[in-house]
Amino acid sequence: MTSRLLVDKIESKSGSQVDLSTHTLKMPAGHIIQTAQTVSRSSVSSTSTSYVEASTSFRASITPKYSGSKLLITATLGLTAYNNSGTNCTAWAKLYDVANSADISNGATPIRGVDYGTSGLLFSNPVALILLQDFPNGNEITITWYYKIESGAGVSVMANDDHRTTQILLQEVSV
């Protein structure tokens, strides 16, 4: 069973009215207005020393419904870096807005492994970020993960480990 409530005006006890045809109702500050999410178990890898998009299947998009609202980003990336010798290994991951061609502020995170032997190194680290920021404009924002290897043989996101699920959760929050 579905119910609908249609009104043209809301009247307070004092008698003042709000005309809904010319006004919009707004959520109280701190409430979630909408949510968009992507969860992926895709496996990808790279040997690039420049940032590259990990996978288009990691993308999540949201368009703000209200000007002035905030964007809450909760994201994790199951990152693995490796080398083939006795050298150190460093990889970087960051969130990137492909719709607006912009880095997400405070989004770059390094992971590093130190190899004290000579046989090589493989290490895995979940990269987790929680950020609250302004929407860059009133248009759609599309967030994805970018990554690179700084030193070592390569970097990957593996799908065969439950502890390394890649996800991006975008929420519009009222202010």
Side-chain angles (χ1 to χ4, degrees), residues 75-108:
T76 56
L77 178 70
L79 197 63
T80 298
Y82 53 93
N83 65 12
N84 297 322
S85 63
T87 60
N88 295 341
C89 185
T90 304
W92 286 81
K94 70 177 180 178
L95 289 173
Y96 188 76
D97 176 6
V98 294
N100 295 291
S101 301
D103 287 341
I104 300 300
S105 64
N106 301 315

Side-chain angles (χ1 to χ4, degrees), residues 5-11 17-26:
L5 174 64
L6 302 173
V7 298
D8 293 320
K9 294 181 190 250
I10 297 176
E11 190 172 326
Q17 296 181 353
V18 175
D19 184 352
L20 294 180
S21 65
T22 59
H23 292 82
T24 56
L25 297 177
K26 188 173 180 186

Side-chain angles (χ1 to χ4, degrees), residues 6 31 33 37 42 47 63 79 82 90 104 111 114 124 134 153:
L6 302 173
H31 283 74
I33 297 168
Q37 181 183 31
S42 296
T47 57
T63 303
L79 197 63
Y82 53 93
T90 304
I104 300 300
I111 62 169
V114 179
S124 178
D134 294 328

Side-chain angles (χ1 to χ4, degrees), residues 121-148:
L121 172 71
L122 180 134
F123 66 95
S124 178
N125 189 38
V127 177
L129 292 170
I130 300 173
L131 302 168
L132 181 66
Q133 68 176 41
D134 294 328
F135 277 93
N137 54 43
N139 299 323
E140 178 181 74
I141 186 169
T142 300
I143 307 291
T144 191
W145 281 104
Y146 272 50
Y147 66 168
K148 71 177 181 177

